């Protein structure tokens, strides 16, 4: 996808800033006003991520299975489709598309990675929509602040302190100091704003434990995407966000954190 002329003449940093100024207000407004605006935005993001995921793993921009599985996942929210039916539909779809991959001489490993990733991305977006539908918008904002604090803390701590690399073969720029600094800042932010944005964790200790855990998961989500991009020899998953890359590049941490947050709520912690 080619950049609009207004973006292509700017430096990378200018593109990042301008993109953030355009996209952030839209996202904040969608979260604030909730249904149906957040649902529309989240659905668009989900299908755009399916496009990037298919392109990266299968070198196929429009793979129908990814879109259908994503649509089935969203149908949980708006129809009476049960989990049992979802599993049945998914297995039928899986069995039906399997021979096509054989005929196209695609690697089976890539096919399984694509299916697992599709389910993971779809579930993560499903959880985010459910949080808003369940009236947990403030909790959602708390999670976002923890992720942003983790990223910002890691960036500045790593930049000013430096030191040993965290995972040089996966992400050469990440350092242990940045990792620890990110977790520390995220924990501090989580405790400070927790009393105003969520009702699940009442004590500073419990808020600190959850915030630090989500920060750890945030780093893992970032590393997981870096590992996959390195394996498939991809620099950016897309060009939808000028200066930032693709949606998967920007939302890698949020996807895994939403998954973890949903799991915490399910097990009652």
């Amino acid at each position: 996808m080619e950049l609009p002329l207004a973006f292509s003449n700017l430096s990378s940093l200018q593109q990042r800033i301008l993109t953030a100024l355009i996209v952030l207000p839209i996202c904040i407004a969608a979260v604030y006003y909730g249904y149906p605006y957040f649902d529309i935005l989240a659905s668009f993001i989900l299908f755009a991520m399916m496009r990037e995921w298919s392109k990266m793993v299968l070198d196929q921009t429009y793979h129908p299975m990814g879109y259908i599985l994503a649509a089935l996942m969203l149908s949980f929210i708006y129809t009476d489709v049960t989990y049992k039916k979802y599993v049945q539909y998914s297995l039928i779809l899986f069995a039906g598309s399997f021979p096509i991959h054989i005929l196209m001489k695609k690697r089976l490993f890539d096919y399984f990675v694509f299916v697992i990733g599709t389910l993971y991305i779809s579930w993560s977006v499903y959880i985010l929509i459910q949080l808003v539908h369940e009236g947990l918008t403030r909790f959602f904002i708390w999670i976002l602040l923890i992720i942003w604090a983790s990223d910002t803390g890691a960036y500045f701590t790593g930049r000013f302190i430096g030191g040993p690399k965290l995972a040089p073969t996966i992400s050469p720029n990440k350092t242990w100091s940045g990792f620890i600094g990110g977790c520390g800042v995220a924990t501090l932010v989580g405790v400070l704003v927790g009393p105003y944005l969520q009702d699940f964790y009442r004590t500073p200790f419990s808020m600190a434990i959850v915030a630090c855990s989500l920060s750890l998961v945030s780093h893992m989500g970032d590393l997981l995407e870096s590992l996959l991009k390195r394996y498939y020899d991809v620099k950016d998953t897309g060009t939808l966000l000028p200066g930032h890359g693709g949606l998967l590049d920007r939302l890698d941490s949020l996807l895994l954190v939403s998954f973890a947050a949903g799991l915490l709520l399910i097990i009652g912690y």
Side-chain angles (χ1 to χ4, degrees):
M1 181 184 296
E2 292 187 1
L3 294 177
L5 184 61
F7 274 98
S8 59
N9 292 331
L10 301 176
S11 67
S12 178
L13 179 60
Q14 290 172 325
Q15 289 180 8
R16 289 176 69 91
I17 294 173
L18 184 57
T19 301
L21 290 175
I22 295 173
V23 173
L24 272 181
I26 296 174
C27 295
I28 292 172
V31 172
Y32 179 80
Y33 288 106
Y35 176 84
Y37 308 103
F38 182 76
D39 298 48
I40 295 171
L41 179 65
S43 300
F44 168 77
I45 289 174
L46 173 58
F47 288 106
M49 286 194 293
M50 284 298 100
R51 182 180 184 276
E52 294 178 0
W53 179 242
S54 176
K55 177 65 178 174
M56 182 172 77
V57 178
L58 299 177
D59 195 24
Q60 188 176 347
T61 305
Y62 299 102
H63 192 284
M65 185 172 179
Y67 296 110
I68 295 174
L69 281 179
L72 277 175
M73 185 62 70
L74 292 180
S75 69
F76 274 138
I77 302 172
Y78 310 107
T79 69
D80 61 349
V81 174
T82 62
Y83 289 97
K84 184 178 179 180
K85 287 182 179 177
Y86 176 78
V87 173
Q88 290 174 344
Y89 295 153
S90 298
L91 289 176
I92 292 172
L93 190 64
F94 182 80
S97 62
F98 188 78
I100 299 175
H101 284 268
I102 299 295
L103 293 174
M104 294 175 68
K105 298 182 180 179
K106 299 279 188 180
R107 293 194 308 168
L108 290 181
F109 175 77
D110 296 336
Y111 178 62
F112 287 115
V113 169
F114 175 71
V115 172
I116 292 171
T118 297
L119 294 174
Y120 159 65
I121 295 169
S122 302
W123 268 103
S124 298
V125 175
Y126 167 82
I127 290 171
L128 293 178
I129 296 176
Q130 281 294 69
L131 287 179
V132 174
H133 279 219
E134 296 292 333
L136 301 176
T137 303
R138 292 190 305 132
F139 180 68
F140 180 26
I141 295 173
W142 186 61
I143 292 174
L144 289 178
L145 291 178
I146 289 173
I147 295 174
W148 291 338
S150 181
D151 288 344
T152 307
Y155 175 79
F156 285 105
T157 309
R159 185 179 179 86
F160 289 111
I161 297 179
K165 302 294 184 183
L166 176 64
T169 59
I170 300 175
S171 186
N173 294 327
K174 295 188 183 303
T175 60
W176 278 102
S177 62
F179 170 70
I180 296 170
C183 290
V185 174
T187 302
L188 180 63
V189 170
V191 172
L192 290 177
V193 302
Y196 309 102
L197 291 178
Q198 55 82 38
D199 301 316
F200 296 105
Y201 314 109
R202 301 297 180 88
T203 67
F205 178 74
S206 61
M207 284 185 272
I209 291 293
V210 174
C212 186
S213 299
L214 293 181
S215 176
L216 286 170
V217 173
S218 172
H219 286 292
M220 289 172 57
D222 193 19
L223 287 174
L224 175 62
E225 207 230 0
S226 297
L227 177 65
L228 288 168
K229 286 199 300 184
R230 188 166 288 273
Y231 178 79
Y232 286 105
D233 195 23
V234 173
K235 182 178 182 298
D236 294 320
T237 58
T239 57
L240 187 62
L241 302 173
H244 294 268
L247 285 166
L248 286 174
D249 293 317
R250 285 294 86 198
L251 301 179
D252 50 2
S253 297
L254 177 61
L255 290 174
L256 194 55
V257 168
S258 72
F259 205 90
L263 187 61
L264 285 176
L265 293 179
I266 289 173
I267 63 176
Y269 185 83

